[in-house]
Amino acid sequence: MHEVYQFDCAIAVAMEFMVKHPDTVLIVTADHETGGLYFPQEGYSEDGPYVYLSDDHTSINVPVYALGYGTNQLGG
């Protein structure tokens, strides 16, 4: 959770920069996918309320988020 919080803080800094520089584009993505999480219907796993489906990289596409100048032209 700490790493997710740090990531959120980094995005906030980037968005503050965008406000001061309106010709900036912010693109957020991942370099790979690792199999995702599974949330059991009942109870908890040994690791907590979730189970990793894979410990390795997969060939699944990752999302790409873009905000800012000219992003309406991105797609596909």
Side-chain angles (χ1 to χ4, degrees):
M1 291 301 296
H2 182 68
E3 291 174 352
V4 172
Y5 174 73
Q6 288 179 319
F7 179 75
D8 188 57
C9 290
I11 297 300
V13 170
M15 291 180 76
E16 287 178 24
F17 181 89
M18 288 182 60
V19 168
K20 296 175 184 173
H21 303 88
D23 59 343
T24 301
V25 175
L26 173 62
I27 299 175
V28 178
T29 190
D31 62 340
H32 63 272
E33 197 273 340
T34 56
L37 297 175
Y38 167 72
F39 293 87
Q41 293 290 335
E42 297 179 17
Y44 287 73
S45 71
E46 295 175 5
D47 298 323
Y50 55 84
V51 176
Y52 286 102
L53 297 178
S54 172
D55 290 331
D56 201 2
H57 300 170
T58 68
S59 61
I60 296 173
N61 290 333
V62 295
V64 177
Y65 301 98
L67 180 66
Y69 179 79
T71 55
N72 59 328
Q73 298 175 21
L74 299 175

